[in-house]
């Protein structure tokens, strides 16, 4: 366990604490995302939609795994910062690559979703919360899904960590990541395409953060083919 009681800013470059510099990415990302969401309003956003979205019903109870994402992401940061700094560094490398690629996509391909229900069939605590959440959260910059990317980041980090690499823990983290990912479409926060677009982004980040350097070239080719296939699928979905 890292003893942060001895931390001083002059020790930030020391082997014991230099991993903390990766945390600087979060406020930088938050600022960039805020600018894209609130300040840099585009005249045109491309709606993300595919016919499969029509077959997925709105279900307010998926709010539970959707909100659990925040605990999921924060929890793995706290755990690795305290008990497994090597895993923390790899987690942050994954986050930096994947979330930065997402920002680039938002800039080059401003997108939105128009899937939210105009009215809810049921009136309960969940739908009331979601109604307020819809007003707070914009429907722009949705593809790729940051919820999906963050969930994959947590699951991969846990699977490769010192204490969560056992089969029961891997299963628990995998199920949690899966439920969080599908919650985005059942709450009509994302299209199915947003999940698919997130996958090659995650693969690219995985190659950078986890793959041995000698194997990265081969993995990059694979990422390229996957990206082309999903880009074709996205184009088909946008035209149907």
């Amino acid at each position: 366990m890292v003893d942060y009681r001895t931390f001083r800013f002059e020790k930030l470059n020391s082997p014991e604490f230099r991993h903390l510099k990766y945390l600087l990415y979060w406020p930088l990302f938050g600022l960039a995302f805020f600018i894209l969401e609130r300040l840099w309003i585009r005249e045109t956003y491309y709606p993300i939609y595919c016919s499969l979205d029509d077959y997925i019903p709105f279900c307010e109870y998926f709010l539970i795994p959707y909100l659990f994402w925040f605990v999921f992401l924060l929890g793995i940061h706290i755990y690795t910062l305290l008990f497994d700094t090597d895993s923390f560094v790899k987690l942050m490398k994954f986050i930096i690559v994947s979330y930065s690629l997402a920002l680039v996509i938002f800039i080059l391909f401003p997108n939105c979703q128009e899937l939210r229900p105009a009215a809810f069939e049921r009136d309960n605590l969940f739908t009331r919360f979601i109604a307020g959440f819809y007003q707070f959260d914009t429907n722009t910059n949705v593809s790729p899904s940051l919820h999906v990317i963050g969930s994959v980041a947590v699951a991969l980090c846990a699977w490769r960590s010192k204490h969560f690499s056992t089969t029961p823990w891997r299963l628990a983290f995998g199920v949690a990541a899966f439920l969080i990912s599908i919650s985005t479409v059942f709450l009509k926060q994302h299209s199915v395409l947003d999940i698919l677009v997130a996958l090659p982004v995650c693969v690219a980040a995985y190659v950078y953060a986890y793959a041995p350097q000698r194997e990265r070239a081969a993995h990059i080719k694979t990422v390229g083919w996957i990206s082309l296939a999903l880009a074709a699928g996205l184009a088909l979905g946008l035209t149907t």
Side-chain angles (χ1 to χ4, degrees):
M1 183 173 181
V2 180
D3 186 3
Y4 289 103
R5 293 174 298 179
T6 63
F7 172 74
R8 302 292 183 273
F9 279 107
E10 57 268 21
K11 295 183 178 181
L12 194 58
N13 291 319
S14 67
E16 185 179 7
F17 297 115
R18 61 189 176 194
H19 60 277
L20 292 175
K21 291 188 287 186
Y22 284 98
L23 288 173
L24 295 174
Y25 177 77
W26 281 116
L28 294 175
F29 170 81
L31 177 61
F33 189 72
F34 175 80
I35 292 173
L36 287 175
E37 283 281 274
R38 305 292 181 176
L39 302 181
W40 191 11
I41 307 301
R42 311 294 189 90
E43 294 182 0
T44 302
Y45 288 88
Y46 299 94
I48 305 297
Y49 165 81
C50 69
S51 58
L52 184 58
D53 295 323
D54 296 330
Y55 294 95
I56 299 175
F58 173 84
C59 181
E60 67 270 26
Y61 301 112
F62 274 95
L63 179 65
I64 296 173
Y66 187 86
L67 293 181
F68 180 69
W69 178 81
F70 297 96
V71 178
F72 203 48
L73 193 61
L74 179 61
I76 201 67
H77 278 71
I78 294 174
Y79 166 77
T80 53
L81 276 170
L82 291 175
F83 302 108
D84 192 352
T85 56
D86 288 340
S87 292
F88 171 78
V89 170
K90 292 177 180 178
L91 168 70
M92 287 307 305
K93 287 182 177 180
F94 186 102
I95 292 289
I96 290 170
V97 171
S98 57
Y99 275 44
S100 297
L101 285 175
L103 290 176
V104 171
I105 294 172
F106 298 156
I107 293 171
L108 298 180
F109 182 66
N111 55 76
C112 68
Q113 56 93 352
E114 299 172 345
L115 302 170
R116 294 174 176 179
F120 299 115
E121 295 181 2
R122 295 170 292 277
D123 180 22
N124 53 46
L125 180 63
F126 293 95
T127 55
R128 293 171 194 168
F129 184 94
I130 294 169
F133 191 76
Y134 278 176
Q135 294 181 354
F136 167 77
D137 187 32
T138 71
N139 67 332
T140 58
N141 299 319
V142 294
S143 188
S145 167
L146 296 179
H147 252 64
V148 173
I149 294 173
S151 299
V152 173
V154 174
L156 287 175
C157 179
W159 291 348
R160 302 174 70 93
S161 68
K162 297 176 181 178
H163 298 100
F164 295 129
S165 58
T166 61
T167 299
W169 275 118
R170 285 189 171 190
L171 180 62
F173 275 91
V175 170
F178 174 76
L179 290 175
I180 291 170
S181 297
I182 66 171
S183 74
T184 64
V185 295
F186 280 97
L187 293 181
K188 299 303 177 180
Q189 283 288 86
H190 286 281
S191 164
V192 173
L193 293 176
D194 301 336
I195 296 178
L196 295 179
V197 174
L199 296 181
V201 174
C202 290
V203 173
Y206 175 83
V207 170
Y208 178 78
Y210 293 104
Q213 190 169 3
R214 64 182 180 276
E215 299 178 8
R216 286 180 183 175
H219 287 305
I220 289 172
K221 291 181 181 179
T222 303
V223 174
W225 284 112
I226 294 174
S227 301
L228 286 174
L230 289 177
L234 177 61
L236 179 62
L238 292 175
T239 56
T240 57

